[in-house]
Structures are given as C-alpha cells and as structure tokens.
Amino acid sequence: MFKDLDPLLHSQLRLAVISILVSVEEADFVYLREKTGSTGGNLSVQLEKLNEAGYIEIEKGYSGKRPRTLCRITEIGRNAFEQYVEALKSYFKATT
Amino acid sequence: MFKDLDPLLHSQLRLAVISILVSVEEADFVYLREKTGSTGGNLSVQLEKLNEAGYIEIEKGYSGKRPRTLCRITEIGRNAFEQYVEALKSYFKATT
DNA sequence: GCCAAATGGTTTATATTATAAACTTATTTA
DNA sequence: TAAATAAGTTTATAATATAAACCATTTGGC
C-alpha cells in the first residue's frame, strides 16, 4: 500500500539540494547554501552523503583564488529522485 | 524558496497513518498496523506523538473483551497535512 | 480446569540522523 | 600586519525512528 521512502532523499536539506540539482545541472556550494538557507556545516555533511550514495558528483576546484565546490546530479540520483516522487504519491493517493 | 516540512509529518510511518486517517475518518490500532506494515511498538510511539501534537485523537475502548484503540484525525491534523502537501510542492516545482 | 499460544498494546533500548557550533585555511581589506 | 570575510570540514549534541522486549488478557486445545 505504501511504498518505502528512500531515507537518503527523505531529508529536508538533501531533498532541497537534489531538487535544485535536478533542474540546474550544476551548482556550487555557496549557491546551494544560499538557496537552501542551510548552514555550511550541515550542507557539507549532506552533500557528502549524497556523494557517497552516488546521487551527485562533487568537483573541487577554484574560482580565481577562492575554493569552489561544484555539484552535479548523476543518473542514479535522478532516478532516485523520480522514484521518491513516485513513492510519495502512494501517501497522497487517498487525498486526490 | 523551500518551505519547511513539518517534522511531525515528515516521517514515513506518521505520514502513512495520517494519510489513512485523512480518508477513512476512523481506524483502529490493528488496522493501522496492517495497512502501514509497521510493528506495534513503532506504531504505538508514533500515534502517541501525533496525539500529543493534537493531530489525532485516540479513544481506547473494547470490542467484546478485546481492547480496541480507535484513532481519528482532528482539524489540526487535517490542516497540517494539507500544509505539508503544499510545502512539498515547493521541492518539486522545478521538476514539473 | 490448565497450559500454550495468540492478541493488543506499551515501555525501553539502540542505532541513526539531522543539525549547528566550533574549527581550519586561505584571502581580502583597512 | 591585524582584523574580517570566505569557503569548507570536523566534531559534538540532541532528537528520531525503529524494533526488541515486555505486560496483561483471552482464546484454544487437551
């Protein structure tokens, strides 16, 4: 009746991050921090989890002399997101 | 940009429970346990949290000689659920 | 009638999580 | 050159979800 919700996406911040990455296809640490309104520390941890799961890839480089961390969603991440949305629907079927 | 997700509803089991109660308007412990596929212990804890928050009311009685715990959603719970659905949409806007 | 199993729950223990505070390193700016 | 800012990471903490263990009652088998 109810589909399981991927615990990796069932987290406010990680969901927000993926939600952004799904549409922009590339975003840096600062952009994500500002758009999600999170603290850097929290973001850092959650990005690492998404990275370990293979949902995103992280590329660390520089913009001028400043460090710059770029994030991109992977195919795995994109699929997981779609599945998550599908799973969620099973919780709202009754309502609609 | 992203609306906060009510932590009380952002939980697989509690969301499933509310999702059921929104449509049936009355359900007992055993029914909820079976439909959600949860353990009784977990269900008991989560029902209590929903009750404390005023999202549901719990009525303990008997069906014959067997104990029977009935649950109903409250107006507060119904509103919270609607808000939760609304909030979630902010995470999927980009996709649609 | 009595013992074993089942029913309907609750309490308690555990392991995971989310989150922010504190910290590091480097770079501007005053 | 000292203070502030920037970009992240590590670490500590508090909250959470979850299931295991438990309790009380009742039913079924002999």
Side-chain angles (χ1 to χ4, degrees):
Chain A
M1 183 168 188
F2 294 105
K3 291 180 188 156
D4 271 346
L5 298 172
D6 182 348
L8 248 136
L9 291 185
H10 200 60
S11 139
Q12 186 160 328
L13 183 47
R14 288 197 300 270
L15 186 62
V17 166
I18 289 288
S19 164
I20 291 172
L21 292 182
V22 154
S23 52
V24 306
E25 205 65 26
E26 181 168 286
D28 67 22
F29 189 92
V30 173
Y31 179 84
L32 291 174
R33 175 161 49 76
E34 285 171 355
K35 288 295 176 187
T36 60
S38 76
T39 60
N42 193 7
L43 183 59
S44 179
V45 170
Q46 307 311 328
L47 286 181
E48 193 43 42
K49 284 186 186 171
L50 290 171
N51 185 40
E52 271 170 29
Y55 286 15
I56 66 172
E57 18 175 71
I58 299 179
E59 192 185 315
K60 293 176 191 195
Y62 284 87
S63 161
K65 292 188 165 180
R66 287 285 168 74
R68 181 150 194 257
T69 298
L70 273 175
C71 304
R72 255 171 260 110
I73 197 168
T74 65
E75 211 41 40
I76 294 174
R78 199 174 293 274
N79 290 340
F81 183 69
E82 277 169 27
Q83 285 241 346
Y84 179 76
V85 175
E86 273 314 300
L88 261 188
K89 285 183 187 167
S90 69
Y91 292 78
F92 301 132
K93 277 254 173 62
T95 331
T96 53
Chain B
M1 182 168 189
F2 295 105
K3 290 179 189 157
D4 272 344
L5 298 171
D6 181 347
L8 250 137
L9 292 185
H10 199 62
S11 138
Q12 187 160 326
L13 183 48
R14 289 195 301 270
L15 187 61
V17 167
I18 290 288
S19 162
I20 291 172
L21 293 182
V22 154
S23 51
V24 306
E25 206 64 28
E26 180 166 288
D28 66 22
F29 190 91
V30 173
Y31 179 85
L32 291 174
R33 174 159 51 74
E34 286 170 356
K35 288 295 176 187
T36 60
S38 77
T39 60
N42 192 6
L43 183 59
S44 180
V45 171
Q46 305 311 328
L47 286 181
E48 193 42 44
K49 284 186 186 171
L50 289 171
N51 186 40
E52 271 170 30
Y55 285 15
I56 66 172
E57 18 176 71
I58 298 180
E59 191 186 315
K60 293 176 190 194
Y62 285 87
S63 160
K65 290 188 167 181
R66 289 283 170 75
R68 182 152 193 255
T69 299
L70 273 175
C71 304
R72 255 171 261 108
I73 196 168
T74 63
E75 212 39 43
I76 294 173
R78 198 174 293 274
N79 289 340
F81 183 69
E82 276 169 26
Q83 285 240 347
Y84 179 76
V85 175
E86 273 315 300
L88 261 188
K89 285 183 186 167
S90 68
Y91 292 79
F92 301 132
K93 278 256 174 59
T95 328
T96 55

